[in-house]
């Protein structure tokens, strides 16, 4: 018994051979299943642009099922669904990810200054701990950190 090839897109398996895989990958069913798989990951703006280019499917709008289904060249979205898609596209645009360098204000000091201040605070804390033998490193850490962080934020 030879090896079997399993296609994730089609949920099918068949004998593994170069010719068999090539025939399967060039088949209409496989291409449609692969297209449907990747279509689910498209963003709302792309979906909206595709749907706005299509004219409405008359049969679908009259309430009858379209015999072409997802392969229909006409749009199967109702006006309120297009509005919902437009809103989702706007939300995706406004919710873009910003990197920390984009969030920095121009009047803020460089990160190196912040690191130096934190290191200085750590050294001060270590020196204070050397003076007090009863001091626990976990005692009042959150209070000191909050106070020092406020000092750091308020300094230009």
């Amino acid at each position: 018994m030879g090896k079997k090839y399993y296609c994730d897109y089609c949920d099918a398996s068949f004998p593994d051979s170069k010719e068999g895989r090539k025939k399967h990958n060039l088949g209409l069913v496989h291409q449609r299943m692969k297209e449907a798989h990747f279509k689910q990951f498209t963003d709302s703006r792309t979906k909206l642009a595709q749907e706005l280019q299509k004219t409405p499917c008359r049969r679908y709008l009259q309430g009858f099922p379209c015999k072409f289904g997802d392969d229909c060249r006409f749009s199967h979205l109702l006006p309120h669904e297009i509005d919902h898609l437009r809103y989702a596209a706007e939300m995706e645009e406004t919710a873009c990810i910003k990197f920390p360098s984009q969030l920095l204000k121009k009047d803020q000091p460089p990160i190196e200054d912040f690191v130096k201040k934190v290191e200085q605070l750590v050294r001060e804390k270590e020196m204070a701990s050397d003076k007090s033998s009863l001091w626990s490193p976990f005692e009042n850490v959150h209070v000191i950190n909050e106070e020092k962080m406020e000092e750091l934020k308020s300094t230009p």
Side-chain angles (χ1 to χ4, degrees), residues 39-65:
K39 190 184 247 184
Q40 70 182 347
F41 298 110
T42 58
D43 62 335
S44 298
R45 188 179 359 174
T46 307
K47 287 180 188 176
L48 179 65
Q50 291 171 350
E51 290 298 324
L52 291 177
Q53 290 176 352
K54 299 178 184 178
T55 57
C57 180
R58 286 187 287 155
R59 184 157 176 81
Y60 187 78
L61 289 178
Q62 291 173 350
F64 298 109

Side-chain angles (χ1 to χ4, degrees), residues 63-81:
F64 298 109
C66 179
K67 64 180 179 179
F68 298 104
D70 291 338
D71 296 328
C72 185
R73 64 181 178 147
F74 299 105
S75 176
H76 287 182
L77 292 182
L78 300 173
H80 74 275
E81 292 173 323

Side-chain angles (χ1 to χ4, degrees), residues 120-130 135 139 144:
Q120 181 182 1
L121 290 173
V122 169
R123 276 188 251 118
E124 289 175 5
K125 188 65 177 173
E126 288 174 352
M127 289 173 55
S129 68
D130 291 340
W135 180 81
E139 186 177 318
I144 292 171

Side-chain angles (χ1 to χ4, degrees), residues 76-91:
H76 287 182
L77 292 182
L78 300 173
H80 74 275
E81 292 173 323
I82 291 176
D83 290 339
H84 178 70
L85 194 57
R86 186 174 283 126
Y87 177 75
E90 290 173 4
M91 288 292 105

